[in-house]
Amino acid sequence: MKILVAEDDPTTRRMILKTLSTLDQQVLETDNGACAWEIYQRERPEIVITDWLMPGMDGLELVRRICESNEGCTLKPYILMLTAKNEAADLKIGFDQGASEFISKPFRPIELIARLKVGISNQKLARELERARRLSEQQALTDSLTGLNNRRALLKLLRVDEDRTLRGRQPLSVILTDVDHFKSVNDDFGHNTGDCVLQVVSDALRAGVRSGDHLGRWGGEEFLILLPNTDLIQAAEVAERCRTLLARQQIQTEDSRTMRISASFGVASANGVNRPDVMELVSQADRALYWAKEAGRNRVKIYVANADSKRRRA
Ligand SMILES: [Mg+2]
């Protein structure tokens, strides 16, 4: 853990550093408030010990800036003000600006150590909580079987890209894919083989998409690929590459038979002319996927507006 010490009096600073040396933490020091602010921004120490009256910038302003720069963050630094100012009114001002703790000068090393130990363990706990929060957030957005984005994550991504597409007038494409005859895989070979198929499909799709594309499991045996800044033709190429990669896969069943699988793909795109909201875009891709199934599966179909009515007329 990094500790920043800002104190202009050399004797006091030396005493602080000597006291800190028992804690086995990385210590940064300065005798100037403005330098302390620079060091803070560069190093982001978890603990700050600051004097009040210093050249460059006073401790109160330093505390104010540090707290302002951490607004909205879950991990905030522990700030200890070490100062000769110890009137109740001073303490109130300091706490109001965001100081976590006060020690008055001249300080007793044992008191500084005790307060810092509390600060360090608070910071460690906060760090662990943050890590756990991120992990659970990650898990809430990940499909446990395939490790891909789950439907919730995809919906989030769709909204982000919808905003970006509308603002930047860039094309946005969606590919929806469904494993052919998946129900019979489960029925004939069991659910373990079914799960294995879904993993093989997700690996093939991972290999087929480009680095900026978002791939996820939409539900059951359906997968969705979101392709930002990609037109219909480019998206159809990605879909075709995924289809080919998947059709090459061989899967060993539990009773040692070899099975081949395929998937059908529907592609839809939003651009200057066709600008539906993202859920409508997904419906269009789903429509094209239905056409791919209808035409015999293991193929890519693109969504063409009015195709349904043309078919009805034909
Ligand atoms: Mg001073």
Side-chain angles (χ1 to χ4, degrees):
M1 209 166 277
K2 286 179 191 168
I3 305 179
L4 170 61
V5 177
E7 168 62 65
D8 62 326
D9 177 57
T11 314
T12 310
R13 197 171 64 249
R14 218 172 303 128
M15 247 180 91
I16 297 173
L17 296 178
K18 187 162 177 266
T19 309
L20 293 182
S21 64
T22 60
L23 286 176
D24 196 29
Q25 307 288 346
Q26 188 189 345
V27 179
L28 311 154
E29 55 166 308
T30 174
D31 59 0
N32 179 296
C35 294
W37 174 233
E38 271 172 35
I39 296 172
Y40 180 81
Q41 293 175 90
R42 195 173 62 236
E43 302 285 339
R44 307 298 287 188
E46 289 97 335
I47 295 183
V48 178
I49 301 172
T50 180
D51 187 14
W52 189 313
L53 302 171
M54 285 183 293
M57 180 191 298
D58 70 25
L60 203 59
E61 175 63 13
L62 177 65
V63 171
R64 195 192 64 75
R65 290 195 188 186
I66 290 173
C67 291
E68 195 183 70
S69 74
N70 281 286
E71 229 160 80
C73 300
T74 26
L75 288 178
K76 295 183 194 299
Y78 178 85
I79 308 174
L80 194 155
M81 291 199 87
L82 207 153
T83 168
K85 281 179 166 283
N86 56 7
E87 297 293 322
D90 298 330
L91 261 62
K92 185 181 182 320
I93 296 170
F95 282 129
D96 284 350
Q97 290 297 349
S100 323
E101 195 58 88
F102 263 91
I103 293 185
S104 34
K105 283 179 184 170
F107 75 94
R108 288 172 295 186
I110 189 165
E111 191 186 358
L112 179 60
I113 286 290
R115 301 274 178 89
L116 282 176
K117 280 185 176 165
V118 171
I120 290 170
S121 72
N122 283 353
Q123 290 299 88
K124 279 185 181 161
L125 192 64
R127 234 194 243 173
E128 273 164 36
L129 282 174
E130 176 62 11
R131 200 175 301 139
R133 191 191 63 79
R134 279 195 194 157
L135 187 68
S136 85
E137 196 178 82
Q138 185 61 38
Q139 281 168 346
L141 297 173
T142 305
D143 175 57
S144 57
L145 177 66
T146 60
L148 296 178
N149 291 310
N150 62 16
R151 190 187 185 98
R152 197 170 152 199
L154 286 169
L155 286 168
K156 240 176 141 178
L157 289 162
L158 281 163
R159 292 296 171 208
V160 170
D161 276 308
E162 180 175 48
D163 290 348
R164 195 181 305 150
T165 305
L166 289 178
R167 271 202 318 271
R169 306 209 133 263
Q170 293 164 341
L172 173 69
S173 295
V174 166
I175 300 172
L176 203 59
T177 177
D178 184 89
V179 182
D180 295 331
H181 305 294
F182 184 73
K183 193 182 173 303
S184 63
V185 173
N186 272 335
D187 291 348
D188 297 350
F189 301 98
H191 286 276
N192 285 344
T193 305
D195 285 353
C196 175
V197 166
L198 293 176
Q199 281 161 346
V200 168
V201 172
S202 64
D203 288 344
L205 296 176
R206 258 195 204 101
V209 297
R210 306 158 309 170
S211 61
D213 301 335
H214 303 295
L215 165 65
R217 188 171 170 200
W218 190 236
E221 67 273 27
E222 276 196 351
F223 295 81
L224 186 141
I225 307 167
L226 180 64
L227 308 96
N229 201 11
T230 302
D231 66 23
L232 193 59
I233 303 299
Q234 292 167 314
E237 283 168 7
V238 172
E240 181 56 26
R241 184 164 64 237
C242 289
R243 190 198 64 78
T244 316
L245 283 166
L246 186 59
R248 279 192 210 134
Q249 303 300 314
Q250 294 190 0
I251 296 171
Q252 290 291 321
T253 63
E254 279 180 329
D255 54 1
S256 303
R257 279 182 285 169
T258 303
M259 179 177 51
R260 284 188 173 276
I261 43 167
S262 65
S264 304
F265 295 76
V267 188
S269 190
N271 54 43
V273 188
N274 171 32
R275 192 163 285 282
D277 72 34
V278 281
M279 293 320 291
E280 177 58 24
L281 194 60
V282 173
S283 301
Q284 291 179 351
D286 193 38
R287 194 79 201 128
L289 170 60
Y290 173 78
W291 296 336
K293 293 272 181 193
E294 208 184 32
R297 298 182 168 84
N298 190 21
R299 68 197 64 214
V300 175
K301 286 284 180 187
I302 56 174
Y303 177 80
V304 184
N306 304 324
D308 278 329
S309 51
K310 272 179 207 155
R311 281 170 176 222
R312 272 194 297 274
R313 280 199 300 272

